[in-house]
Amino acid sequence: MTIFDESGESILYKILLVDPNSDSSETMLHMLDWNQAGFCIHTTADNITDALYHVDNPAHILVLINIKRLQSFGLQLCGLIRQKSRIPIILIGGGQDFNLARQALHYQVNDYLTDPVQSSELLDCLGRFRRNLDASLEDAVKAPQPHCQNSIIDMVKKYVQEELHQNISLKKISEALHFNCAYLGQKFKSEEQISFNEYLLQQRMEKAKHLLESTEMRIYEISREVGYSETDWFYKKFKEYTGTSANEYRKQTLITA
């Protein structure tokens, strides 16, 4: 069954395409005759912020995410979308990875097309959605939930915890998450009441304290474990943070143990 509007024209269901790469977005636009399939790519978003903003547009009936370009952040975007919407999601371009597919199921992704995506495969997928949408438009009505900005900050904090031994910067994280660096910094401080750099220093020093208290690791090993390649710089930052040297801190914990 085909749904028609008041003028007698068949309805084109509007798609939100999420792809940070302009070349692959352009390729997707010309991959098939979207109108013939009953759809149109109404909006493209090249970062998570824009994608979440456009998901709120009730005109969109489907989200198409290039998981190959967004990589693991594509799944995190699915999680953020699911906190605010039941809109159908199709992931395209992923590998034949069981773990990835399992996570996609966890976020209730509606379909998952592995790379290389064939136009016939995508057309079949869209055809199934078209039949379901035509049969029951109300199935695609979205139910907005409370905003998910805290989840974005959780992603930043999770990144810090996992990469604490590396050279971390807000710029690097914002690029990885496809966020504006200044926006992300302001959002972090607003939510956490502390700047990102202060938070990062806090996490490094607290882990260093824990390692000094609970392990026999050498100071230079702890320095590298918490992201400082220069031990002298670690000594300086640790003393500024705790008021005592790393060696003295370890001695004090041994005395009070």
Side-chain angles (χ1 to χ4, degrees):
M1 180 178 70
T2 301
I3 304 297
F4 298 92
D5 60 21
E6 293 180 354
S7 66
E9 296 291 328
S10 61
I11 290 176
L12 294 178
Y13 293 112
K14 295 179 175 61
I15 292 175
L16 166 62
L17 172 63
V18 184
D19 190 335
N21 184 277
S22 58
D23 290 338
S24 56
S25 290
E26 190 68 20
T27 298
M28 183 59 63
L29 287 170
H30 297 93
M31 190 172 187
L32 49 82
D33 187 338
W34 293 92
N35 289 5
Q36 184 67 30
F39 294 85
C40 69
I41 296 182
H42 182 262
T43 308
T44 58
D46 61 7
N47 59 71
I48 290 177
T49 306
D50 286 349
L52 292 175
Y53 173 79
H54 289 298
V55 161
D56 287 327
N57 185 341
H60 297 130
I61 212 74
L62 177 68
V63 180
L64 195 60
I65 299 175
N66 190 330
I67 191 70
K68 181 178 181 180
R69 298 294 181 179
L70 281 175
Q71 299 180 354
S72 62
F73 296 109
L75 286 174
Q76 292 174 347
L77 173 59
C78 292
L80 294 174
I81 290 174
R82 278 292 169 258
Q83 292 185 27
K84 64 191 306 185
S85 172
R86 306 309 305 165
I87 188 170
I89 301 172
I90 299 176
L91 298 182
I92 59 172
Q96 296 186 8
D97 182 336
F98 173 77
N99 186 53
L100 186 62
R102 181 179 60 79
Q103 292 180 70
L105 287 173
H106 172 73
Y107 291 120
Q108 299 177 338
V109 169
N110 300 77
D111 213 333
Y112 177 83
L113 307 182
T114 58
D115 195 49
V117 179
Q118 304 296 323
S119 57
S120 58
E121 185 182 20
L122 179 57
L123 196 59
D124 287 344
C125 175
L126 292 172
R128 292 193 295 272
F129 274 97
R130 170 89 192 194
R131 289 189 290 274
N132 290 334
L133 291 169
D134 285 349
S136 182
L137 285 172
E138 61 268 22
D139 286 347
V141 174
K142 294 173 286 186
Q145 300 292 326
H147 67 79
C148 58
Q149 294 297 341
N150 283 336
S151 294
I152 296 170
I153 301 305
D154 288 342
M155 288 166 60
V156 174
K157 292 164 75 173
K158 183 174 184 292
Y159 183 102
V160 168
Q161 295 303 318
E162 293 178 351
E163 303 295 327
L164 200 59
H165 60 291
Q166 301 284 2
N167 180 25
I168 299 174
S169 70
L170 187 61
K171 184 176 186 296
K172 182 184 290 187
I173 296 176
S174 63
E175 288 174 351
L177 296 177
H178 303 285
F179 269 83
N180 176 276
C181 184
Y183 166 81
L184 193 57
Q186 292 170 1
K187 191 66 189 173
F188 190 94
K189 188 167 186 177
S190 173
E191 296 291 338
E192 298 297 314
Q193 305 301 310
I194 186 175
S195 73
F196 172 79
N197 286 337
E198 290 171 327
Y199 172 79
L200 178 59
L201 176 65
Q202 178 190 77
Q203 295 305 302
R204 292 193 195 282
M205 294 299 105
E206 291 301 322
K207 182 171 183 179
K209 286 166 61 178
H210 172 72
L211 293 175
L212 287 167
E213 294 168 6
S214 60
T215 75
E216 295 182 357
M217 291 173 64
R218 295 175 181 270
I219 303 298
Y220 76 87
E221 293 175 324
I222 293 175
S223 170
R224 286 165 174 71
E225 186 68 20
V226 297
Y228 291 95
S229 57
E230 297 181 10
T231 307
D232 287 344
W233 185 243
F234 167 73
Y235 273 116
K236 181 177 186 299
K237 301 305 288 185
F238 188 88
K239 188 167 186 178
E240 288 177 354
Y241 184 82
T242 64
T244 187
S245 71
N247 286 318
E248 286 300 319
Y249 183 87
R250 171 168 274 171
K251 289 177 183 178
Q252 291 172 10
T253 58
L254 289 174
I255 291 171
T256 58

